[in-house]
C-alpha cells in the first residue's frame, strides 16, 4: 500500500485548521477544508484550496460526522486526513474508517488511540510499563439513563478518599471533569460528568482519581516513527488553568532541574515505546511540590500548545507528522534536539474573566493581530467574523520566543497590549495581569495560581483618554454640517481627507 | 461635540472640539493631560505621558466600544436608559441567562419552594455545563424554559417570589 498523497483534508475548524493548511502549502500539498453551515465564510474555509460543506452548525451534525468527512475526502481526492485536536482527532473508529477508505490518518494507529484514549486502560498500560500514575479507582459504565451504580460509586470513593476528581474516561480539556470535596456532592458530580462526557465524547464512562493539591501540570512532547524511533521534544509547563483549561503555557518549565527533566523525559519516551507510538503525542504528568511526578494521560494528537515547542526547537511538528505518516524516519535524533531560549503561549478567548469566564459571542468589529520579532499568532478568526456559541471560544493563540524567560514575558506583555479586539469581550487584559503577577515572574506556577493570585482581579475602568477617544471618533463620524469649526476628517474615505487640505488653503 | 457617556455606573460629560490648531478635550469640565493628534475612521491617535497611542473605536447600537493601550471598554451613550431598565439585575429574584446556550435540564418547577443556592436549571454553552442557582430563598413563580430550549444573554429564565428568612 502506498503512503503517498498530494491532497490533505483538514477535519477541523478555527486556528488549528488554518495552521495545518499553512504547513501543507509549504510542502506543496493541496488542501481541502470542511466547514459547517456556521463556518462557510470563516478563515479556514476560505484559506483551503477547496471547501466542502458538511452539515449544520452543531458539531454532532458536522465536524463529528465521520461519513461526511470521508465522503468529502473521496469527492476531492484527498489521500490523507489531518484531524487537528478535539472533534475526531482521538476517535479510533475514525482512524479505522480512514484506513478502510484507503485514506492516510495523520495520527497514530487506531489500536494506540484506543489504548490511550480510554484513560483507565492508559493508566493500566503505564502502570505495567513502570510509569508512575495518580492513585485512583474505576467505575462501571453508566446505564441508559446516565446513572452509575451508587454502591459502586461509594465503594470507589472510599478507596480514593476526598478530595477527588471525577474524570471522563474518554475525556480531555476539562470536559466531563468535576472536583469533589465533600461526600454529599459526589452523586451530582458523577451525574454531571457523565452527561458532559456523553455529549462531548460520545461515551459517558467516568472514573475517580485522587486530587493532587497545588500540583503543576507538566507535559512532554513525544514523537515516534514506524521504524521504532521515539524521541521527546522537552516539556511544556501548562499549570495556569481556569476551569481545568490551560490559558498560559511555556517551555522550559521553571520548575524542572536538568536532572528532573531528564528523568521525566525518559519516562515519557518509555510511555511512547510501551504503545509503539507513531506520530506526534503528548505525555501529561502532574508534578507534586516534592518533585514526585505522576502519569496523567497521553494525548494521541497534536496539542493546542504545540507552538511553544516548535519555537524553542525550531521544528514544524505538522511537517514531521506528514513525513512520518509517509513512512519516513523521524527527522531528528534525540541528541540533535537542543532547545534554544524560552517560549510562552497565551490562549486568547472570547470570554469575560470578570464574570466567571462566561463565553462572549458577537461580531468582531475590530480585530488586528500583533506582529514583530519573536511573535507568532495562530488564529482562526478575522475582522468581521461572527463568534458563535456553537464552538470553543478560543479565538487565537499568541506565542512569543526570546532568549530567556524574563525577555519572553516582556515580549508577551507588549504583544498582548498591541492586540485590538472589539465586538466580543476577551481575556487579553486578564492574561496581562497573569504575566504581571509577582508569583508568575518568580516561576511559582501551579494549577491553583489563578485562584490564589487573580481571584480579586477586575478590569481597568475607562479613563479620560478612553472617553476622549470615543467622543473624537463620534465627532469624526458625524455629518459635516455638524462641525462649524471645520470638516473634521469626516470619515475613513480618502476624499473626505483630501477635502480638508483644500479648505484649509481657503482659510 | 458634546457627549454623555456611561461607563459602568458612572456617567461622564465629554466635550471634544476640532480647532484650526488641533483638538480640545474636556472631560467632566476639566482638561485632561492628553492631546488628540489625529482621527481617521475608527482610529484615534493620542499623546499621553509622552507616549503616542492609537485607540480603536467601534459602534454597536448605543454602545461605543473603545480599545486603548491593551484595554477594551464598553461605553454607553446616555439617554439609553430605556435599555438599562430592561436589564435584569444580577443577584435578584429574577434569574436571567448570563450566556447564550442551551437548557440541558430544568430542576425547579413553578410552585416549588427553593433555598438560596438551590440549583434551578443546567445550561450548556460551548460544551461546558453551568448550573443556575437560586439567588434568594422563596417560591418559584415562573419558569420560562424547558430542556432543549436555546436562550440568549439577558433572557428571563426563572423568577422567585422571595420569602422572609424566618417565615
Amino acid at each position: 500500500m502506498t503512503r503517498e498523497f498530494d491532497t490533505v483534508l483538514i477535519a477541523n475548524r478555527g486556528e488549528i485548521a488554518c495552521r495545518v493548511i499553512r504547513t501543507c502549502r509549504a510542502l506543496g500539498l493541496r488542501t481541502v477544508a470542511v466547514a459547517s453551515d456556521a463556518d462557510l465564510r470563516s478563515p479556514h474555509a476560505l484559506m483551503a484550496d477547496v471547501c466542502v460543506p458538511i452539515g449544520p452548525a452543531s458539531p454532532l451534525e458536522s465536524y463529528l460526522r465521520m461519513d461526511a468527512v470521508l465522503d468529502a475526502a473521496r469527492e476531492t481526492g484527498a489521500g490523507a486526513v489531518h484531524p487537528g485536536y478535539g472533534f475526531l482527532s482521538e476517535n479510533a473508529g475514525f482512524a479505522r474508517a480512514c484506513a478502510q477508505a484507503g485514506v492516510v490518518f495523520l495520527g497514530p494507529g487506531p489500536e494506540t488511540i484506543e489504548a490511550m484514549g480510554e484513560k483507565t486502560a492508559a493508566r493500566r498500560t503505564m502502570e505495567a510499563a513502570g510509569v508512575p500514575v495518580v492513585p485512583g479507582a474505576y467505575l462501571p459504565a453508566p446505564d441508559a439513563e446516565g446513572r452509575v451504580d451508587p454502591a459502586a460509586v461509594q465503594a470507589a470513593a472510599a478507596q480514593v478518599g476526598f478530595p477527588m476528581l471525577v474524570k471522563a474516561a474518554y475525556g480531555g480539556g476539562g470536559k466531563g471533569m468535576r472536583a469533589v470535596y465533600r461526600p454529599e456532592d459526589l452523586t451530582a458530580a458523577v451525574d454531571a460528568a457523565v452527561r458532559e462526557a456523553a455529549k462531548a465524547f460520545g461515551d459517558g464512562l467516568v472514573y475517580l482519581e485522587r486530587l493532587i493539591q497545588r500540583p503543576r501540570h507538566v507535559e512532554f512532547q513525544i514523537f515516534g516513527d514506524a521504524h521504532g524511533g521515539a524521541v521527546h521534544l522537552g516539556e511544556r509547563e501548562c499549570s495556569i488553568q481556569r476551569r481545568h483549561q490551560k490559558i498560559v503555557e511555556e517551555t522550559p518549565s521553571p520548575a524542572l532541574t536538568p536532572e528532573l527533566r531528564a528523568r521525566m523525559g525518559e519516562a515519557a519516551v518509555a510511555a511512547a515505546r510501551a504503545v509503539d507510538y507513531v506520530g506526534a503525542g503528548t505525555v501529561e504528568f502532574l508534578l507534586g511540590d516534592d518533585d514526585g511526578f505522576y502519569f496523567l494521560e497521553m494525548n494521541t494528537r497534536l496539542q493546542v500548545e504545540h507552538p511553544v515547542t516548535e519555537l524553542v526547537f525550531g521544528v514544524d511538528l505538522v511537517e514531521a507528522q506528514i513525513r512520518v505518516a509517509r513512512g519516513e524516519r523521524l527527522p531528528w535524533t534525540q541528541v540533535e534536539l537542543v532547545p534554544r531560549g524560552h517560549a510562552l503561549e497565551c490562549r486568547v478567548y472570547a470570554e469575560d474573566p470578570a464574570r466567571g469566564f462566561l463565553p462572549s459571542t458577537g461580531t468582531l468589529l475590530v480585530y488586528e493581530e500583533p506582529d514583530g520579532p519573536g511573535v507568532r499568532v495562530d488564529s482562526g478568526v478575522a475582522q468581521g467574523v461572527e463568534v458563535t456559541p456553537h464552538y470553543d471560544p478560543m479565538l487565537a493563540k499568541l506565542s512569543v520566543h526570546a532568549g530567556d524567560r524574563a525577555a519572553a514575558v516582556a515580549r508577551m506583555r507588549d504583544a498582548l497590549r498591541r492586540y485590538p479586539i472589539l465586538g466580543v469581550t476577551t481575556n487579553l487584559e486578564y492574561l496581562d495581569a497573569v504575566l504581571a503577577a509577582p508569583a508568575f515572574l518568580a516561576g511559582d506556577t501551579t494549577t491553583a495560581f489563578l485562584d490564589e493570585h487573580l481571584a480579586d482581579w477586575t478590569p481597568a475602568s475607562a479613563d479620560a483618554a478612553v472617553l476622549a477617544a470615543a467622543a473624537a471618533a463620534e465627532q469624526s463620524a458625524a455629518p459635516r454640517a455638524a462641525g462649524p469649526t471645520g470638516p473634521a476628517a469626516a470619515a475613513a474615505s480618502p476624499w473626505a481627507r483630501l477635502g480638508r487640505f483644500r479648505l484649509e488653503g481657503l482659510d | 461635540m458634546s457627549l454623555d457617556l456611561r461607563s459602568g455606573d458612572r456617567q461622564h460629560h465629554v466635550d471634544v472640539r476640532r480647532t484650526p490648531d488641533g483638538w480640545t478635550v474636556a472631560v467632566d469640565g476639566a482638561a485632561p493631560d492628553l492631546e488628540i493628534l489625529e482621527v481617521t475612521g475608527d482610529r484615534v491617535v493620542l499623546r499621553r505621558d509622552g507616549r503616542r497611542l492609537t485607540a480603536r473605536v467601534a459602534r454597536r447600537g448605543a454602545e461605543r466600544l473603545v480599545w486603548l493601550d491593551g484595554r477594551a471598554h464598553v461605553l454607553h451613550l446616555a439617554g439609553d436608559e430605556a435599555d438599562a431598565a430592561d436589564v435584569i439585575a444580577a443577584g435578584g429574584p429574577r434569574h436571567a441567562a448570563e450566556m447564550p446556550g442551551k437548557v440541558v435540564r430544568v430542576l425547579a418547577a413553578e410552585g416549588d419552594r427553593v433555598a438560596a443556592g438551590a440549583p434551578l436549571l443546567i445550561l450548556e454553552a460551548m460544551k461546558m455545563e453551568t448550573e443556575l442557582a437560586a439567588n434568594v430563598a422563596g417560591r418559584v413563580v415562573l419558569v420560562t424554559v424547558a430542556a432543549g430550549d436555546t436562550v440568549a444573554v439577558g433572557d428571563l429564565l426563572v423568577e422567585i417570589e422571595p420569602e422572609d428568612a424566618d417565615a
Side-chain angles (χ1 to χ4, degrees):
Chain A
M1 163 184 162
T2 174
R3 308 279 287 172
E4 271 310 313
F5 46 86
D6 58 14
T7 303
V8 177
L9 181 145
I10 297 92
N12 215 300
R13 64 178 301 282
E15 67 86 15
I16 192 61
C18 295
R19 187 255 167 277
V20 172
I21 291 170
R22 284 197 186 95
T23 290
C24 290
R25 278 220 181 132
L27 295 176
L29 295 162
R30 209 169 133 258
T31 53
V32 178
V34 291
S36 73
D37 293 346
D39 277 342
L40 292 174
R41 303 293 302 164
S42 69
H44 86 274
L46 300 177
M47 194 174 176
D49 296 309
V50 183
C51 175
V52 181
I54 47 161
S58 161
L60 277 172
E61 298 175 87
S62 50
Y63 297 106
L64 287 169
R65 271 189 57 196
M66 298 182 208
D67 57 338
V69 171
L70 286 172
D71 282 349
R74 197 171 305 120
E75 274 167 36
T76 56
V81 170
H82 195 298
Y85 52 72
F87 295 131
L88 297 169
S89 64
E90 292 178 283
N91 185 319
F94 181 62
R96 203 164 274 130
C98 284
Q100 278 158 7
V103 174
V104 175
F105 175 79
L106 291 170
E111 303 77 20
T112 308
I113 299 176
E114 233 147 45
M116 294 298 106
E118 205 270 87
K119 309 297 181 204
T120 59
R123 282 174 52 97
R124 292 187 174 110
T125 305
M126 291 308 151
E127 272 179 301
V131 180
V133 301
V134 183
Y138 305 109
L139 293 174
D143 62 21
E145 305 288 304
R147 293 266 162 193
V148 182
D149 174 26
V153 173
Q154 291 311 322
Q159 203 183 320
V160 174
F162 290 89
M164 66 178 73
L165 281 175
V166 185
K167 296 179 74 173
Y170 296 92
K175 281 160 192 150
M177 180 150 90
R178 286 287 190 280
V180 189
Y181 296 87
R182 304 178 307 174
E184 58 266 39
D185 298 333
L186 183 59
T187 307
V190 170
D191 285 354
V194 166
R195 261 200 316 278
E196 225 171 84
K199 188 158 297 173
F201 313 111
D203 190 311
L205 186 64
V206 298
Y207 65 104
L208 305 180
E209 204 172 77
R210 186 172 303 159
L211 182 64
I212 308 275
Q213 309 240 43
R214 296 191 83 245
R216 286 174 185 261
H217 178 121
V218 177
E219 62 185 29
F220 274 72
Q221 176 72 51
I222 53 141
F223 226 109
D225 66 25
H227 309 277
V231 297
H232 73 82
L233 289 89
E235 79 278 12
R236 290 182 289 257
E237 160 85 46
C238 310
S239 299
I240 309 282
Q241 305 185 357
R242 59 110 183 87
R243 287 183 168 185
H244 299 292
Q245 282 205 326
K246 304 159 186 171
I247 58 170
V248 179
E249 297 105 334
E250 63 182 307
T251 188
S253 164
L256 300 198
T257 59
E259 187 273 327
L260 183 55
R261 178 172 296 114
R263 276 200 294 137
M264 291 177 77
E266 271 168 37
V269 172
R273 290 196 186 282
V275 290
D276 296 324
Y277 200 86
V278 177
T282 294
V283 180
E284 299 194 342
F285 294 107
L286 282 183
L287 178 63
D289 45 19
D290 57 353
D291 282 358
F293 62 90
Y294 309 93
F295 172 82
L296 198 57
E297 60 186 42
M298 182 160 167
N299 298 313
T300 55
R301 54 168 155 85
L302 196 63
Q303 204 85 340
V304 175
E305 57 274 21
H306 74 275
V308 291
T309 300
E310 294 187 325
L311 288 170
V312 297
F313 284 97
V315 299
D316 181 336
L317 292 174
V318 173
E319 179 182 341
Q321 283 184 301
I322 290 169
R323 292 192 181 285
V324 163
R326 280 174 162 163
E328 294 180 26
R329 287 179 187 278
L330 284 175
W332 344 272
T333 61
Q334 191 69 62
V335 291
E336 286 169 350
L337 288 165
V338 181
R340 294 175 67 95
H342 200 99
L344 278 170
E345 175 187 277
C346 283
R347 298 194 192 184
V348 181
Y349 279 98
E351 66 181 18
D352 190 349
R355 295 174 65 220
F357 302 101
L358 286 177
S360 170
T361 57
T363 301
L364 294 173
L365 301 171
V366 170
Y367 180 87
E368 200 175 296
E369 294 171 354
D371 55 9
V375 177
R376 166 175 169 176
V377 182
D378 290 85
S379 70
V381 294
Q383 188 161 310
V385 163
E386 193 188 347
V387 179
T388 70
H390 303 297
Y391 311 108
D392 187 271
M394 191 174 81
L395 299 176
K397 304 179 308 203
L398 174 59
S399 309
V400 299
H401 186 209
D404 58 32
R405 190 168 187 269
V409 170
R411 184 162 275 176
M412 178 62 88
R413 293 197 61 196
D414 178 59
L416 287 168
R417 293 186 92 121
R418 291 190 290 116
Y419 202 158
I421 301 178
L422 293 176
V424 297
T425 305
T426 75
N427 64 341
L428 282 166
E429 186 181 351
Y430 182 82
L431 288 166
D432 187 47
V434 171
L435 266 62
F440 186 87
L441 297 174
D444 185 16
T445 49
T446 71
T447 54
F449 183 91
L450 299 179
D451 289 335
E452 290 177 359
H453 301 287
L454 280 112
D456 298 327
W457 179 84
T458 50
S461 51
D463 59 14
V466 170
L467 297 163
E474 197 77 5
Q475 154 99 10
S476 172
R480 276 170 181 238
T485 53
S493 158
W495 301 111
R497 290 206 295 282
L498 272 178
R500 166 181 150 189
F501 293 109
R502 286 195 193 153
L503 286 170
E504 278 179 354
L506 291 174
D507 280 343
Chain B
M1 160 158 304
S2 282
L3 213 54
D4 287 304
L5 290 165
R6 185 165 53 78
S7 165
D9 51 5
R10 302 186 60 180
Q11 185 128 333
H12 301 277
H13 182 75
V14 192
D15 194 83
V16 168
R17 281 174 208 285
R18 180 104 171 86
T19 71
D21 302 328
W23 296 73
T24 61
V25 184
V27 175
D28 298 326
D33 194 9
L34 60 91
E35 197 184 340
I36 296 176
L37 302 177
E38 194 187 330
V39 184
T40 314
D42 72 352
R43 290 165 199 264
V44 178
V45 185
L46 307 156
R47 189 183 300 283
R48 183 176 63 183
D49 301 333
R51 289 179 65 212
R52 191 184 165 95
L53 304 168
T54 301
R56 306 294 294 271
V57 183
R59 307 158 148 243
R60 188 170 59 191
E63 289 175 341
R64 293 297 177 266
L65 314 177
V66 182
W67 177 92
L68 178 66
D69 200 17
R71 312 278 180 255
H73 307 270
V74 180
L75 309 172
H76 301 262
L77 288 184
D80 189 30
E81 311 314 336
D83 275 3
D86 265 356
V87 173
I88 296 170
R94 303 175 77 211
H95 296 72
E98 290 196 315
M99 56 179 172
K102 208 168 101 179
V103 178
V104 178
R105 185 180 286 196
V106 179
L107 302 165
E110 288 174 12
D112 284 1
R113 288 187 181 282
V114 293
L120 299 174
L121 48 83
I122 295 171
L123 276 177
E124 185 203 85
M126 292 162 174
K127 293 189 257 168
M128 299 289 291
E129 286 194 4
T130 313
E131 193 178 86
L132 178 74
N135 293 322
V136 294
R139 197 169 59 87
V140 177
V141 291
L142 180 68
V143 178
T144 66
V145 289
D149 286 358
T150 303
V151 299
V153 177
D155 283 1
L156 176 65
L157 304 176
V158 178
E159 184 166 351
I160 295 174
E161 192 177 84
E163 272 172 4
D164 291 340
D166 55 1

